[in-house]
Amino acid sequence: MEPWADTLRRLRDTVCAGRTRPAEFRKAQLRGLERFLRENQELLRQALADDLRKSDFESELSEVHISQSEIKLALRNLRAWMKDEKVPKNLATQLDSAFIRKEPYGLVLIIAPWNYPVNLTMVPLVGALAAGNCVVLKPSEVSKSVEKVLAEVLPRYLDPSCFAVALGGPEETAQLLEHKFDYIFFTGSPHVGRLVMSAAAKHLTPVTLELGGKNPCYVDDDCDPQTVANRVAFFRFFNAGQTCVAPDYVLCSPEMRARLLPALQCSITRFYGADPQTSPCLGRIVSDRHFQRLKRLLGCGRVAIGGQSDERDRYIAPTVLVDVQEAEPVMQEEIFGPILPIVTVGGLGEAIEFMQRREKPLALYAFSSSRQVVRRVLESTSSGGFCGNDGFMHMTLSSLPFGGVGASGLGNYHGKFSFDTFSHHRACLLRPSGLERIYGLRYPPYSPGRLRLLLTAMESPSCSCTLL
C-alpha cells in the first residue's frame, strides 16, 4: 500500500476546491504557526539542545525569533502581496486590463535540513502557506527531537486539509519524490539537491534548491586582526560550525596570518573559555557519522589552534588549520563543523583568482578598511550573498533575498521573496467583448498599411511586445 496516497489525494482535493485561496484562510494558518512557536518555545529549545546542544541564546536568535519575524511580516503584508499587480500597456491594449496575478502553485513539498531544523522548516513553510498552497513537510530525520515535535505537535495548529508531515530517511524521501508535486523546496547538500532536481524533472516540477558550498572569507592586510578574529570566530563556530553560510576558509597574506592566529586564539578563549568543551555556548556535532567525517578533516594541513575531539560527546574543539593544500578534503568539501582553514595568498588579485576558479559559493565575505577593496571583491566575484566586514548578517534582513547561485543553489526566499517563490505569477489580460471594428485590423487579408498601424500600436516607451 502506497503510504502517502490517501494524504496526497486529500491535499490535492483541497487544492482543486480552492479552499486555501482566500486571504483569511491563509492568515488563519499563519496565526496557527504563530501560536505553535509561542506555546512551544520551551519544547523547541529542549529539542534543539537534545539534537545539537544549542544554547538558549542561539536557539532564540537563529531559530525561533527569525521564524516569528517571518510570520509577523507575512501577516502584516499578506493582502498587499496578494493584490494583482498592474503593468504598463501599449496603445493596442489601452482599453484592456493587464495585470499579474499571484496564484498558489498548489501542492508543495518542503524538504528541510537538520542544522537549523526550526528556522529552515518554518521560514519556507510561512511562504508556502502565505501563498495559499497545500504543504507536505518532510523534516530531517537526523535532528530526531525536533522532527518529533514537528510531527506530533505542529499539525495540531494547522488545518489538516492543507498540511501534512512525512517522516522517514533517504529511502522514504525517494519514494515521496516519485509523486507529482506542483513545487518542491529543498534545503541540503548539493549531492542530494541533484537527486531532488532529477526526480522533479520527471514531472516537470519547478524547484528551489538551497544548497551549500565553500564560502570564502578574504582578509586584507589593513584590517585590525582582533576585530576580524572576533567576527570570523563568532560566525564560524556558531552552531558548532554547522551553518551553510559560515565562512568556510580564510584567504590572507602570510603576514596577516601571523597576526590573525593569536587574535583567533584570544577570541576563542574569550568566547568559550580555556576548555571549550565545558562551555555552555558551544554546540555539538549532530551525529556520529558527521563527527567521524569532521575528525578525518582534522588531519588536513597543520593544526594551529584546537584540534581536540571527544567521540562520546560528539565534541570537536574550535579549530584553525594552516598549511592546507587546495587538493585536500578540507578544501574540497563543505566543512559543516568548527574547523577553519587559513590559506595564504600573495595579495588581493591572487585571492580573487582563487575564488573565481572555484564553484560559486552560497556566501562570500571580505574584510578591509578600504571600501575600494571590498567593492573590488564584490565586483570581481559571484555568490549567493555577500557581506563586507562581517559574517552572515545579510541573512537577518528579510528585505534581501536569500539563496545560492550555480552549485550553491537555485532560487531564493525570505520575506516577500518567500511569497513570490511559492506563487505562480500569472500573466492576465482582460479585453472587452465588443469593439470588433478596431480589433479587426489584425485579420487577413493583410496589407502594408495595416502592418504599419499595428506595429505602431504595439510599441510603447515603457512596454514593448512581440506578436507571436
Side-chain angles (χ1 to χ4, degrees):
M1 179 67 181
E2 169 52 57
W4 290 290
D6 289 343
T7 297
L8 296 180
R9 191 178 304 113
R10 167 171 52 84
L11 297 178
R12 183 67 71 182
D13 288 345
T14 301
V15 170
C16 294
R19 187 158 176 251
T20 63
R21 287 180 174 250
E24 282 310 313
F25 183 90
R26 304 184 195 192
K27 284 190 171 185
Q29 304 315 300
L30 294 174
R31 293 188 187 104
L33 290 183
E34 194 172 43
R35 289 196 307 276
F36 166 73
L37 289 173
R38 184 175 65 250
E39 295 174 7
N40 297 281
Q41 282 199 33
E42 188 54 43
L43 187 63
L44 289 168
R45 286 199 191 102
Q46 185 58 54
L48 290 163
D50 292 343
D51 289 333
L52 292 152
R53 197 81 66 84
K54 281 198 182 185
S55 65
D56 286 352
F57 181 95
E58 290 193 2
S59 294
E60 178 63 27
L61 182 68
S62 65
E63 302 269 14
V64 177
H65 178 74
I66 286 179
S67 302
Q68 289 173 326
S69 296
E70 288 282 323
I71 295 169
K72 290 175 182 175
L73 183 70
L75 283 170
R76 191 164 59 244
N77 295 283
L78 183 60
R79 290 192 183 275
W81 293 349
M82 290 176 62
K83 195 173 181 180
D84 290 342
E85 182 182 334
K86 293 183 178 180
V87 298
K89 296 179 289 187
N90 55 23
L91 184 60
T93 56
Q94 281 302 305
L95 300 178
D96 306 329
S97 175
F99 55 92
I100 299 169
R101 173 154 295 179
K102 288 92 171 197
E103 295 185 338
Y105 273 105
L107 181 54
V108 166
L109 172 63
I110 296 174
I111 304 175
W114 52 262
N115 58 323
Y116 289 86
V118 176
N119 176 338
L120 299 180
T121 297
M122 298 298 290
V123 175
L125 181 57
V126 169
L129 294 176
N133 297 283
C134 290
V135 179
V136 175
L137 176 65
K138 170 60 184 69
S140 174
E141 76 285 358
V142 178
S143 46
K144 296 180 176 62
S145 298
V146 174
E147 179 196 41
K148 189 172 188 292
V149 175
L150 294 174
E152 296 180 1
V153 182
L154 178 57
R156 303 174 196 166
Y157 291 82
L158 297 172
D159 191 315
S161 70
C162 73
F163 177 76
V165 177
L167 302 179
E171 183 178 342
E172 290 78 11
T173 303
Q175 293 173 358
L176 188 61
L177 285 167
E178 292 176 3
H179 293 273
K180 176 177 172 54
F181 291 90
D182 300 308
Y183 201 94
I184 298 175
F185 188 103
F186 169 79
T187 305
S189 70
H191 169 70
V192 180
R194 290 184 178 93
L195 299 178
V196 171
M197 195 169 187
S198 178
K202 295 176 183 177
H203 301 288
L204 296 179
T205 300
V207 298
T208 289
L209 302 177
E210 296 297 340
L211 312 176
K214 301 288 292 179
N215 305 315
C217 177
Y218 173 69
V219 180
D220 201 20
D221 281 347
D222 68 357
C223 292
D224 172 55
Q226 194 58 63
T227 299
V228 173
N230 291 341
R231 297 177 186 184
V232 170
F234 175 64
F235 288 107
R236 172 69 268 186
F237 305 126
F238 192 93
N239 196 32
Q242 298 165 117
T243 304
C244 59
V245 289
D248 221 55
Y249 61 95
V250 166
L251 293 169
C252 66
S253 69
E255 294 77 18
M256 174 50 75
R257 189 186 81 173
R259 299 163 60 205
L260 194 57
L261 282 172
L264 283 166
Q265 180 65 79
C266 179
S267 298
I268 291 168
T269 302
R270 186 153 61 88
F271 293 171
Y272 306 111
D275 181 7
Q277 189 170 4
T278 64
S279 171
C281 300
L282 186 67
R284 293 298 185 268
I285 307 309
V286 72
S287 69
D288 293 335
R289 180 173 68 85
H290 284 280
F291 174 86
Q292 294 299 335
R293 179 185 62 81
L294 289 167
K295 191 172 180 182
R296 287 192 293 271
L297 295 183
L298 291 174
C300 299
R302 175 173 62 86
V303 174
I305 299 172
Q308 301 84 2
S309 64
D310 183 343
E311 183 174 356
R312 289 175 301 175
D313 195 25
R314 296 203 301 271
Y315 165 75
I316 301 283
T319 297
V320 178
L321 301 177
V322 295
D323 301 333
V324 296
Q325 302 301 310
E326 191 174 354
E328 289 186 280
V330 77
M331 290 301 296
Q332 295 298 312
E333 62 185 70
E334 186 177 9
I335 295 171
F336 238 62
I339 302 171
L340 179 66
I342 297 180
V343 177
T344 57
V345 290
L348 176 58
E350 188 177 329
I352 289 173
E353 190 276 330
F354 188 96
M355 291 184 273
Q356 286 176 337
R357 70 170 179 259
R358 300 170 72 87
E359 295 281 9
K360 295 177 181 180
L362 183 57
L364 194 148
Y365 306 99
F367 286 81
S368 178
S369 298
S370 167
R371 288 188 177 185
Q372 288 77 16
V373 169
V374 173
R375 287 282 181 181
R376 184 177 168 192
V377 176
L378 174 61
E379 292 164 4
S380 303
T381 60
S382 178
S383 61
F386 179 89
C387 190
N389 291 314
D390 211 348
F392 40 78
M393 288 303 294
H394 60 286
M395 284 188 59
T396 65
L397 287 176
S398 59
S399 53
L400 287 175
F402 173 70
V405 59
S408 61
L410 173 68
N412 53 58
Y413 70 123
H414 282 193
K416 185 177 183 295
F417 300 101
S418 297
F419 177 87
D420 289 338
T421 285
F422 288 103
S423 298
H424 166 56
H425 287 54
R426 189 178 187 182
C428 302
L429 187 137
L430 307 181
R431 170 154 284 180
S433 58
L435 304 174
E436 188 65 3
R437 289 183 62 184
I438 296 175
Y439 299 131
L441 292 172
R442 303 167 294 174
Y443 305 150
Y446 301 131
S447 71
R450 286 187 177 187
L451 178 60
R452 286 194 299 271
L453 188 61
L454 284 170
L455 291 177
T456 300
M458 292 168 62
E459 290 181 356
S460 169
S462 59
C463 177
S464 61
C465 303
T466 302
L467 187 64
L468 300 179

